[in-house]
Amino acid sequence: MATIYELTSDYLNLLELAEDPDTDPQAFADTLEGIVDDIKDKAEAYAIIIGELTAKAERITNEAKRLNAWADSLVRNAGRMKETLMYSMDEIGTKKIETEHFRIGIAGNGGKKPIRYTGDVPEQYMVMKPEVDTKAIREALESGKELDFAYLGERGRHLNIK
């Protein structure tokens, strides 16, 4: 069986033949019907495979979400256990514990001291970042105004399989 590309090419070539007055109308109609039927069969096969791939991707995505949730839960559990161990070590007044397999110690974090805010920060310590107002640009373009830095693009198309 021909590929979808070959069938499309055959169809376009046949349409060119339609313009030739010497083309046998019955042969043209029979060939056209055959190509159209082949394209329909090929399109149906594509639709089936697209549906299967989409369903499989959805199952994988759902499984990935489940595994990520599980991993997050394990990380939270480990974090709570670390906090509990550090609390216990603080309560008994020790900074180090040595076991057969581990050396456990409480250490201060490195880096710069964190800043804690107790009220409104004055404007001189604020940074304003410019943001594009896409709504205003869209309104201007849709009202017919020409802007040298923007234009309305095409919405695009997609294949719909029901």
Side-chain angles (χ1 to χ4, degrees):
M1 181 173 255
T3 68
I4 192 82
Y5 298 111
E6 292 167 340
L7 292 171
T8 302
S9 177
D10 292 347
Y11 181 81
L12 293 174
N13 289 336
L14 189 61
L15 289 181
E16 284 182 17
L17 280 177
E19 296 174 8
D20 184 353
D22 296 332
T23 301
D24 176 23
Q26 186 57 46
F28 175 83
D30 292 345
T31 306
L32 178 62
E33 185 178 329
I35 291 173
V36 169
D37 287 346
D38 286 347
I39 290 175
K40 283 181 182 177
D41 291 344
K42 189 63 76 170
E44 183 171 16
Y46 265 62
I48 290 168
I49 293 169
I50 289 168
E52 289 176 4
L53 292 175
T54 303
K56 188 171 190 172
E58 186 175 337
R59 287 192 303 274
I60 290 169
T61 299
N62 290 337
E63 181 66 6
K65 286 178 185 176
R66 186 187 70 79
L67 291 173
N68 281 330
W70 184 19
D72 290 345
S73 174
L74 296 174
V75 167
R76 282 192 306 274
N77 289 345
R80 278 194 297 277
M81 291 178 76
K82 285 172 87 174
E83 288 174 10
T84 300
L85 180 56
M86 192 161 70
Y87 171 80
S88 296
M89 290 172 69
D90 282 339
E91 286 299 306
I92 63 172
T94 185
K95 299 261 186 234
K96 292 182 185 177
I97 297 175
E98 292 201 26
T99 69
E100 183 181 341
H101 300 287
F102 300 100
R103 279 182 288 160
I104 303 164
I106 298 174
N109 293 335
K112 296 180 180 180
K113 291 182 179 182
I115 299 172
R116 309 281 187 223
Y117 300 102
T118 57
D120 291 335
V121 178
E123 218 174 282
Q124 71 189 56
Y125 294 105
M126 301 294 282
V127 175
M128 299 295 180
K129 294 184 180 178
E131 185 179 328
V132 176
D133 187 351
T134 55
K135 183 178 178 184
I137 294 170
R138 179 176 310 284
E139 288 173 0
L141 290 170
E142 287 176 346
S143 72
K145 186 171 185 180
E146 287 192 29
L147 304 176
D148 60 349
F149 61 89
Y151 66 94
L152 290 173
E154 294 299 318
R155 284 195 182 133
R157 305 176 324 143
H158 68 278
L159 186 66
N160 196 6
I161 300 174
K162 295 180 182 179

